[in-house]
Amino acid sequence: MDYKKINPLVRWGASILLLFWTVCSVYPLLFSVFQSLKDNQQVYSGKAWDLPNLPLLWSNFSYTWDKYHFGTYFLNSIVVTGGSMLLALFLTATTAYVLARYTFKGSGILYYLYISSLTIPSLMLIVPMFFLFSALHVSNSFTGIILLYSITAVPMGMFILMGFFKSLPHELEESAVIDGASLYGVFFKIMLPLATPGLVTISIVNVLQFWNEYQYALVLLSDAIKYTLPIGLGVMQGEMQYRIEFGPLFAGLLISTVPVLIIYVLFQKQINDGIVAGAVK
């Protein structure tokens, strides 16, 4: 549709709505930046909504990083997010490939079981998952939380990747087999590289989800040295007790938010293109 052919009133209305939505989205981030550069005196003096006074308190970030162990939490989040992303990518790609390229008894039922799992609220899974992982002796460990994150990410990723695998011609597989390639060679050397747009999309989506996840990590991780950034923020607020240090608290919030924001800004085109392409195919 040609944008210039749209009714001018509709265009102005859409522009105003988008501008309002942009302000609503950007302002919380700017507000957090301003608060992270203030001390409590500026906040309690009725200047919470004003710009921070000079000099700016960049020391709030180093204070939060050292005193509240955000360096450890940050590293833990990188380990958990990276491990979960790689394992989820492998499980998702292999599952989607098999269901998309091979027909066997029960394959349809298996597909709908995966899709139906998307309708289950995550809160309903916390208690059974806790007892299951405790029985398997992987609770309170990076192994357990990585396994949990990876498993829960498979259905959505499989739904996206199946569109890519179904669109690939069968002649590619047949030619590779004739040339002596094994089933594993066909998958890893031919089919998987051709599905790169979908792989990039689900990888980015999973990273954003794993980095911000709070509920499962809160239940499964009981050792403070293994906390991730979302749990660290809650612990930080609890340690402040009756006196909240707003500057360091907002600094910790930015430390946990900015990496995800940067990833989304850099790869938003790949996310949108991959999801749309997978759905269309």
Side-chain angles (χ1 to χ4, degrees):
M1 180 182 295
D2 189 355
Y3 181 75
K4 295 181 179 179
K5 295 181 180 180
I6 301 177
N7 188 299
L9 292 178
V10 176
R11 283 189 294 170
W12 276 103
S15 300
I16 293 173
L17 182 61
L18 291 174
L19 179 60
F20 174 75
W21 183 257
T22 302
V23 172
C24 292
S25 301
V26 173
Y27 181 75
L29 179 62
L30 293 179
F31 179 80
S32 300
V33 173
F34 294 156
Q35 302 311 303
S36 68
L37 300 174
K38 297 179 180 179
D39 56 20
N40 277 5
Q41 183 178 358
Q42 296 181 56
V43 176
Y44 288 127
S45 62
K47 298 181 179 180
W49 302 93
D50 296 341
L51 295 175
N53 296 335
L54 297 176
L56 301 178
L57 295 181
W58 295 103
S59 58
N60 285 335
F61 289 90
S62 59
Y63 175 77
T64 301
W65 187 271
D66 295 331
K67 180 176 180 180
Y68 293 103
H69 313 293
F70 264 63
T72 301
Y73 301 153
F74 194 90
L75 181 60
N76 292 344
S77 289
I78 291 178
V79 172
V80 170
T81 301
S84 301
M85 187 270 292
L86 292 176
L87 182 57
L89 196 63
F90 174 77
L91 295 176
T92 302
T94 51
T95 304
Y97 177 73
V98 171
L99 292 179
R101 308 296 291 188
Y102 297 97
T103 301
F104 53 90
K105 187 176 182 179
S107 60
I109 297 176
L110 187 60
Y111 169 76
Y112 286 111
L113 283 176
Y114 273 108
I115 298 302
S116 62
S117 66
L118 294 173
T119 64
I120 302 176
S122 59
L123 287 175
M124 293 182 60
L125 300 176
I126 291 180
V127 175
M129 285 295 180
F130 174 78
F131 286 107
L132 174 62
F133 280 72
S134 296
L136 295 174
H137 304 289
V138 291
S139 61
N140 191 31
S141 67
F142 290 153
T143 301
I145 201 69
I146 288 174
L147 285 174
L148 181 57
Y149 286 175
S150 305
I151 293 171
T152 55
V154 169
M156 177 57 73
M158 181 202 70
F159 177 74
I160 296 174
L161 275 185
M162 283 189 66
F164 286 92
F165 286 127
K166 284 183 177 181
S167 67
L168 300 177
H170 288 276
E171 288 77 11
L172 291 174
E173 295 170 296
E174 296 172 356
S175 300
V177 172
I178 293 175
D179 290 338
S182 64
L183 293 179
Y184 296 102
V186 171
F187 174 69
F188 286 106
K189 295 181 179 179
I190 298 176
M191 309 305 288
L192 202 59
L194 292 176
T196 298
L199 297 175
V200 173
T201 298
I202 63 174
S203 297
I204 298 172
V205 171
N206 286 341
V207 166
L208 299 178
Q209 176 183 345
F210 299 154
W211 186 272
N212 293 319
E213 204 285 321
Y214 178 82
Q215 297 171 345
Y216 291 136
L218 179 64
V219 173
L220 290 183
L221 299 176
S222 57
D223 193 347
I225 201 173
K226 298 177 182 178
Y227 287 161
T228 55
L229 277 173
I231 308 302
L233 279 173
V235 172
M236 176 182 180
Q237 186 175 6
E239 289 180 356
M240 290 178 180
Q241 296 182 354
Y242 302 108
R243 182 178 182 274
I244 298 179
E245 299 175 88
F246 287 98
L249 185 61
F250 277 98
L253 178 64
L254 286 176
I255 290 173
S256 63
T257 303
V258 169
V260 177
L261 183 63
I262 293 175
I263 291 174
Y264 184 80
V265 170
L266 293 177
F267 298 100
Q268 59 178 326
K269 185 179 184 299
Q270 287 81 352
I271 296 175
N272 297 331
D273 292 347
I275 293 177
V276 172
V280 172
K281 291 179 180 179

